[in-house]
Amino acid sequence: MHKGRLEAFSDGVIAIIITIMVLELKVPHDVEFRALLPLWPVFGSYVLSFVYVGIYWSNHHHLFQAVQHVKGGVLWANLHLLFWLSLFPFVTGWMGENHFAPVTVALYGGVLIMAAVAYYILVRALLACHDAGSPLAKAIGTDFKGRVSVVFYAVGIALAAWLPWAAVALFAAVAAMWLVPDRRIERQMET
Amino acid sequence: MHKGRLEAFSDGVIAIIITIMVLELKVPHDVEFRALLPLWPVFGSYVLSFVYVGIYWSNHHHLFQAVQHVKGGVLWANLHLLFWLSLFPFVTGWMGENHFAPVTVALYGGVLIMAAVAYYILVRALLACHDAGSPLAKAIGTDFKGRVSVVFYAVGIALAAWLPWAAVALFAAVAAMWLVPDRRIERQMET
Amino acid sequence: MHKGRLEAFSDGVIAIIITIMVLELKVPHDVEFRALLPLWPVFGSYVLSFVYVGIYWSNHHHLFQAVQHVKGGVLWANLHLLFWLSLFPFVTGWMGENHFAPVTVALYGGVLIMAAVAYYILVRALLACHDAGSPLAKAIGTDFKGRVSVVFYAVGIALAAWLPWAAVALFAAVAAMWLVPDRRIERQMET
Amino acid sequence: MHKGRLEAFSDGVIAIIITIMVLELKVPHDVEFRALLPLWPVFGSYVLSFVYVGIYWSNHHHLFQAVQHVKGGVLWANLHLLFWLSLFPFVTGWMGENHFAPVTVALYGGVLIMAAVAYYILVRALLACHDAGSPLAKAIGTDFKGRVSVVFYAVGIALAAWLPWAAVALFAAVAAMWLVPDRRIERQMET
């Protein structure tokens, strides 16, 4: 099967996820700048999730550059990833409205882990239908960043009960690490 | 007519349907894990509907792989399918909020039947503008799974009044049957 | 300019409009079939608007089949059409919630007229950048159905104050007339 | 990398932003034309934002006509632009609900400035991966309108505290200036 519709459908779902999160930013009824102050945890968690969903879109984009064709199993591995991404608006809203309370930060970290696992499964499903010598297989390599991320998410969840802010800082640090774009595939495609 | 815009529009509508269902997961105001417990029927029905909408997207994708061109009647057969899919957020929300009460499960099954009927009509409309020897005609075959599904939905609706949980289990079993992807078309396209 | 992005953007906006209308169908809190009865005006107006938005998408699709290129003015004529279509969820919700009260039916008719006018302007903008001998120019012809529709909408608005149901029936009749797809362009493209 | 998915994803996000703003138009419960009167500030701010988002889509479309390829940095410059556009529904709703109160107008102007800055950064990121002799580089030129716009937005914000209506008029005037489409790229592509 061609990869075109899988890319288009994923773009659609990710575009909706990244945009409906902003609906959690409820319009305040007062008309002073101070009325915006209580919104900052909601706004902060929106920014963090916008960056994370952007990272997933950007990595998905890089990944599928090197993909030559897809099979039924890849469709479902991809839908599985989209499922976990679709929970971002919920966990972002819960965390933002409750000012990064421990349990909400832990749940946020849990969704981060599940999304990372789903991405890993998607990569495996793609490798299973490409040759070992394909551009995709060469480009993926060891996925060092992916492994480090999961460790950091797990540490963040463990920290959340005592130091929720440290956990959020850790999640933000992982996001910052990913903002440096994944040049493995880009480099592979150019040669 | 080319099939490209029909695919793109369907991808857009299905992407929105699958994503706005998550808006039924209302953010709880308490900040304990226990606050998530009352959400499980809403979450469970979200997962079931996510899988069903994913199945429709995946089958739609497989189906249109083999389509060579479309006509005006196909556009409307497709819009008819999208109409019934668009009711998923409503029936999912009603069923989830009311903990799978009999009448909500029956209505959910009713929408499942109507979507299956609409898919059947779409397939007939496509066959009507393709030759008997076309890849599409060869790939469709007898549609055994489609017929079985409708029977199971009907049994589920009849069961819902007395055993709503058995009905939900039946709907989940049908979904599981479809998760095994429809290889008829995939196989046909490869040869 | 190529027409591809204009088509993709229009597909996206129309897909969202047709889908968010369903959010007006608020989940009832009771769990009896009777709880669905008060929803029927909202459901009925949803069906009518789904069909109308579907008609606009289908006609837009047919129209752009014959388009060879677009200019800046066409982008804005198209955005103008999308603006009026974007008001469908609002006027549909107002009409449905108020059981087709006269003033809500009149406003619905007003948006129908404005959308028809916007479609007419879009067609003119497209003709202005195609030759008189182009497939588009040949396919458009006199646009008899478009003119009749506007007359019927205007009659419907005038009727709404005294006979709102007759006005709704008229709007539904116009929709039924359009469901017979616009074969002018289809025929033109095939020859 | 090809530019196709960046365009498709941007189309998706912008389509959603432009459409969910209409959800701020809450359906009134009364059924008289007078019930619509209190909605006019919300409606007016919706029209203004619809035009602004339309301008960004139209300019984005024109810009990417001349783009030959994209890199990782361009993806993020584009996501940065989409982030500021995603705040339009929020600032539009706040401004409309509060009848263009000074502080809401100033915040609206602030988002206009940030979006303009983000667009400027996107253009720089694109120029950085195209030759000085490329169609893109020739087409961009000095970007006079972009510079003037930012000055006008800044004046509007300064005015907002005393004359919020003058600020809104200024923002509307800038939008009107952009409605005259950016023919630089169109002209460049035709030669």
Side-chain angles (χ1 to χ4, degrees), chain B residues 24 38-46 90-101 104 108, chain C residues 27:
Chain B
E24 283 295 323
L39 281 178
W40 82 261
V42 179
F43 185 72
S45 61
Y46 173 59
F90 176 77
V91 293
T92 304
W94 203 36
M95 187 169 76
E97 274 191 23
N98 294 293
H99 297 212
F100 303 93
T104 64
Y108 190 86
Chain C
V27 173

Side-chain angles (χ1 to χ4, degrees), chain B residues 126-191:
Chain B
L126 283 166
L127 288 175
C129 61
H130 286 75
D131 293 332
S134 65
L136 183 75
K138 284 189 206 154
I140 294 295
T142 59
D143 193 20
F144 177 70
K145 278 210 285 191
R147 285 153 197 254
V148 168
S149 301
V150 174
V151 172
F152 279 18
Y153 298 151
V155 173
I157 294 172
L159 273 178
W162 297 278
L163 298 163
W165 287 101
V168 173
L170 208 56
F171 298 158
V174 174
M177 178 183 82
W178 280 103
L179 275 175
V180 182
D182 191 336
R183 293 201 189 282
R184 285 174 302 174
I185 291 172
E186 217 165 311
R187 214 176 291 134
Q188 187 66 32
M189 296 305 285
E190 279 163 9
T191 57

Side-chain angles (χ1 to χ4, degrees), chain C:
Chain C
M1 286 194 286
H2 298 295
K3 63 182 177 180
R5 272 192 83 180
L6 185 149
E7 291 182 324
F9 182 70
S10 306
D11 281 352
V13 171
I14 296 174
I16 298 158
I17 291 169
I18 215 170
T19 320
I20 62 174
M21 286 190 304
V22 88
L23 297 177
E24 282 296 323
L25 271 178
K26 301 284 190 325
V27 173
H29 289 291
D30 285 342
V31 283
E32 295 170 64
F33 267 119
R34 274 180 307 180
L36 296 175
L37 274 185
L39 281 178
W40 82 260
V42 178
F43 185 73
S45 61
Y46 172 60
V47 172
L48 183 63
S49 292
F50 190 98
V51 170
Y52 261 115
V53 177
I55 288 166
Y56 273 101
W57 177 73
S58 173
N59 287 349
H60 195 276
H61 185 172
H62 276 83
L63 179 65
F64 275 83
Q65 288 275 317
V67 166
Q68 287 155 329
H69 53 263
V70 298
K71 291 206 167 172
V74 171
L75 300 192
W76 281 100
N78 191 59
L79 279 161
H80 178 236
L81 172 62
L82 296 178
F83 175 77
W84 291 107
L85 295 182
S86 82
L87 296 181
F88 266 90
F90 176 76
V91 292
T92 304
W94 204 35
M95 187 169 75
E97 274 191 23
N98 294 292
H99 297 212
F100 303 93
V103 71
T104 64
V105 173
L107 189 73
Y108 190 87
V111 169
L112 284 177
I113 283 195
M114 292 312 295
V117 168
Y119 192 81
Y120 178 81
I121 293 172
L122 174 60
V123 170
R124 292 301 119 185
L126 284 166
L127 288 175
C129 62
H130 285 76
D131 293 333
S134 66
L136 183 75
K138 285 187 204 155
I140 295 293
T142 59
D143 193 19
F144 176 72
K145 279 210 283 191
R147 285 153 198 254
V148 168
S149 302
V150 174
V151 172
F152 279 17
Y153 298 150
V155 172
I157 295 172
L159 272 178
W162 296 277
L163 298 162
W165 287 102
V168 173
L170 208 57
F171 298 158
V174 174
M177 178 182 83
W178 280 102
L179 275 176
V180 183
D182 192 335
R183 295 200 187 281
R184 285 174 303 173
I185 291 172
E186 216 165 313
R187 216 175 290 136
Q188 187 66 31
M189 297 305 285
E190 280 163 8
T191 57

Side-chain angles (χ1 to χ4, degrees), chain B residues 79-122:
Chain B
L79 278 162
H80 178 235
L81 171 63
L82 295 177
F83 175 78
W84 291 107
L85 296 182
S86 82
L87 297 181
F88 266 89
F90 176 77
V91 293
T92 304
W94 203 36
M95 187 169 76
E97 274 191 23
N98 294 293
H99 297 212
F100 303 93
V103 71
T104 64
V105 173
L107 189 73
Y108 190 86
V111 169
L112 285 177
I113 282 195
M114 292 312 295
V117 168
Y119 192 81
Y120 178 81
I121 293 172
L122 174 61

